[in-house]
Amino acid sequence: MSARIPLSDLEAWVSDVLIACGVSAVAAAATAEVLVDANRRGVDTHGVAQLHFYIPALLAGTIDGAAEPMILVDLPAAAVVDGQNGLGAYVSRFAMKVCCDKAATSGAAVVGVRGSTHFGAASCFSEQAARANCVGIVVSNSDPGMSPPGGLGPVLGTNPLAIAAPSDANGRLPSLDIATSVVAHGRIVAAARSKSEIPAGWAIGPDGEDTTDPVAALAGSMLPMGGYKGFGLAFMIDVLCGSVAGSQISPDITNDIENPQIQGTGHLFIAIHVPSLRPIQDYEASLERLSRVVHDAPRLSDSPPYMTPGELEASASRSRTVDGVQLDGPVRQRLSELGETAGVPFPS
Ligand SMILES: NC(=O)c1ccc[n+]([C@@H]2O[C@H](COP(=O)([O-])OP(=O)(O)OC[C@H]3O[C@@H](n4cnc5c(N)ncnc54)[C@H](O)[C@@H]3O)[C@@H](O)[C@H]2O)c1
């Protein structure tokens, strides 16, 4: 079993590898911080493992590591940002900061992003807003990976949605972060790696039939969460990111490490500045009561306590901040190889 890596060592390594691949120091630092933030909270599918996709695209020039996001439309409570094909995490940190700054003076703001790339875990940016006293709402489109119910293959992306809100007086920060598919694509990749079955209902094989074989699922398609509801949500996320913010629509986005292309991914960020709407103490009291009612609700004796959104990740964060992160063997192996190629040895 591989050793745990302190989060600070992992973040420094990611930043150094990105710089060795031609990424600017600021974009490398932001991307490293975002990816390791996902690992810290236990969202390993969208942490440093994503370098496996980012580095071939950086080397092929379809992600521009030196790009600086550009504001195309600048209104008091709205903006449009062109990510210029830069690293999605860097572009998104920038766009959410613009959004929160505008919300602090206008009460609420929206920022659409076009010309971006995969940004990792959506909650990295909704929680950025929550730390700035805003409710943060984040959506993104992504390359097609999800079939409509009854379909034969992927049509839309697994377009994620995240909502986070400022923490209560006990520091509990509510944070929901979900793919619109039953689970994120990375969970099927992980099942294929560990040669374990996936539950029925997650995916279809290439023949359109439900499958529990992760290899068949990877050749087929993810299914939407909640049937037509999840697919409808993904469609509306494409309306926000593609049709409104001006990015590609998800059927036109590519993410192929063998043959990287310009992604043209879109995101949309919304920030609602809570203290502009009501005294923060009143907000906190309401949030505490909401969590308490949910935690205290009667349950079957064999059912574990219900976790409100973000509690699972907060628990992972507490332990990983102290103990570091243990990456699974194949991910660690791939990162070591990337490090060797870039001349930056993976932390031992
Ligand atoms: N960038 C992209 O293109 C893209 C696309 C799809 C998904 N993603 C990311 O993939 C990640 C994982 O998505 P997912 O849908 O597989 O996540 P998931 O199914 O693990 O659900 C995560 C959410 O559910 C809550 N949760 C988890 N287990 C719970 C439990 N037992 N009880 C109560 N609440 C619980 C968590 O607090 C969290 O808010 C997200 O970070 C998402 O942003 C990114």
Side-chain angles (χ1 to χ4, degrees), residues 3-85:
R4 290 184 171 274
I5 306 165
L7 298 176
S8 54
D9 291 0
L10 192 58
E11 190 171 324
W13 178 80
V14 173
S15 179
D16 288 348
V17 166
L18 289 171
I19 289 170
C21 295
V23 176
S24 68
V26 277
T31 305
E33 181 262 316
V34 164
L35 293 179
V36 174
D37 178 52
N39 286 113
R40 178 178 59 77
R41 294 182 292 112
V43 191
D44 290 330
T45 49
H46 286 70
V48 295
Q50 289 293 329
L51 286 180
H52 178 59
F53 299 97
Y54 297 176
I55 288 182
L58 283 164
L59 297 178
T62 55
I63 297 181
D64 179 358
E68 281 300 313
M70 185 192 287
I71 298 180
L72 300 178
V73 173
D74 195 4
L75 298 167
V80 176
V81 169
D82 183 343
Q84 313 253 50
N85 302 320

Side-chain angles (χ1 to χ4, degrees), residues 43 45-46 118-123 140-142 158-160 175-179 181-184 187 306-313:
V43 191
T45 49
H46 286 70
H118 188 272
F119 68 10
S123 46
S140 178
N141 58 15
S142 60
T158 56
N159 300 351
S175 178
L176 179 77
D177 181 13
I178 50 172
S181 45
V182 179
V183 291
R187 300 266 294 274
Y306 188 77
M307 289 179 289
T308 53
E311 278 193 278
L312 189 68
E313 291 76 15

Side-chain angles (χ1 to χ4, degrees), residues 83-156:
Q84 313 253 50
N85 302 320
L87 280 157
Y90 177 54
V91 171
S92 299
R93 275 279 183 255
F94 171 85
M96 187 47 113
K97 165 107 178 46
V98 170
C99 194
C100 292
D101 289 349
K102 287 184 182 298
T105 52
S106 302
V110 58
V111 173
V113 177
R114 62 179 76 151
S116 187
T117 59
H118 188 272
F119 68 10
S123 46
C124 294
F125 314 103
S126 52
E127 293 190 11
Q128 174 185 347
R131 291 190 293 273
N133 266 342
C134 294
V135 172
I137 304 174
V138 176
V139 289
S140 178
N141 58 15
S142 60
D143 56 303
M146 188 168 78
S147 167
L152 287 177
V155 176
L156 297 181

Side-chain angles (χ1 to χ4, degrees), residues 44 167 177 185 248 300 317 320 345-346:
D44 290 330
S167 50
D177 181 13
H185 183 256
Q248 301 269 44
L300 293 171
S317 174
R320 291 183 173 197
F346 192 71

Side-chain angles (χ1 to χ4, degrees), residues 162-280:
I163 306 176
S167 50
D168 64 18
N170 299 317
R172 188 178 289 130
L173 188 154
S175 178
L176 179 77
D177 181 13
I178 50 172
T180 41
S181 45
V182 179
V183 291
H185 183 256
R187 300 266 294 274
I188 304 218
V189 175
R193 266 200 311 260
S194 62
K195 299 190 175 17
S196 39
E197 284 201 338
I198 54 170
W202 279 17
I204 52 172
D207 56 359
E209 297 294 337
D210 208 335
T211 185
T212 56
D213 173 3
V215 177
L218 290 174
S221 178
M222 315 282 304
L223 285 170
M225 64 158 182
Y228 66 87
K229 297 184 184 184
F231 197 79
L233 195 48
F235 183 91
M236 295 313 296
I237 289 172
D238 249 313
V239 170
L240 293 170
C241 300
S243 313
V244 175
S247 77
Q248 301 269 44
I249 54 170
S250 66
D252 296 334
I253 296 175
T254 62
N255 192 13
D256 177 2
I257 53 170
E258 304 299 334
N259 180 24
Q261 307 280 324
I262 299 283
Q263 290 174 31
T265 305
H267 323 298
L268 190 104
F269 301 95
I270 297 171
I272 303 166
H273 187 245
V274 176
S276 298
L277 305 190
R278 71 182 309 205
I280 198 78

